[in-house]
Amino acid sequence: MFTFKLIKVLATILVAPLLAFLFFNIVPTETVTDAQTEDAATYYKAKCVVCHGAKADKKFDSSLSEEHLVDAVLKGKKAAKPPHMPEYESKGVTPEQAKELVIYMKQLKTAGE
């Protein structure tokens, strides 16, 4: 009888979270990085404006494809002369965030022209 009670307790402990998830759609919270919580404008002002300027008019070629620019944000790029573009993928920037940042920079540059 002791073994049966132990099995019941263990089954309840192991199955209860699964049932709660299935029936109540309880989703565990994820850790969110600073890069994920900041929007493109805030991130740009905090990390990019120093090299690219307030209107994205320095070291930013908006004629390049979006994919090329997103890749440069994520992987970094060695410039003809320093400073070089650092990579931000390892710092928590996702491809979607990099795309939003590139779109924001293109808007800044267009508005400044």
Side-chain angles (χ1 to χ4, degrees):
M1 201 174 255
F2 174 74
T3 308
F4 181 69
K5 285 183 181 180
L6 182 63
I7 291 172
K8 269 177 72 175
V9 169
L10 287 175
T12 304
I13 292 171
L14 297 174
V15 174
L18 178 62
L19 292 175
F21 176 77
L22 292 174
F23 291 114
F24 301 111
N25 199 18
I26 298 173
V27 180
T29 57
E30 296 178 11
T31 303
V32 178
T33 66
D34 288 343
Q36 291 169 324
T37 58
E38 294 177 354
D39 64 357
T42 303
Y43 198 79
Y44 182 81
K45 290 173 188 169
K47 306 287 184 185
C48 312
V49 75
V50 173
C51 292
H52 293 291
K55 297 178 182 167
D57 54 352
K58 300 175 188 172
K59 295 188 173 223
F60 177 68
D61 186 355
S62 59
S63 68
L64 295 172
S65 72
E66 191 173 279
E67 294 80 20
H68 180 83
L69 294 169
V70 167
D71 190 56
V73 171
L74 294 173
K75 307 289 185 205
K77 183 177 180 184
K78 189 168 183 156
K81 60 181 183 173
H84 303 295
M85 175 70 187
E87 57 92 15
Y88 283 92
E89 190 170 38
S90 68
K91 296 173 178 138
V93 175
T94 66
E96 294 79 21
Q97 291 167 328
K99 183 177 178 179
E100 289 175 19
L101 189 58
V102 165
I103 291 168
Y104 177 75
M105 289 178 74
K106 284 186 174 191
Q107 290 171 348
L108 280 177
K109 189 158 186 168
T110 302
E113 292 177 352

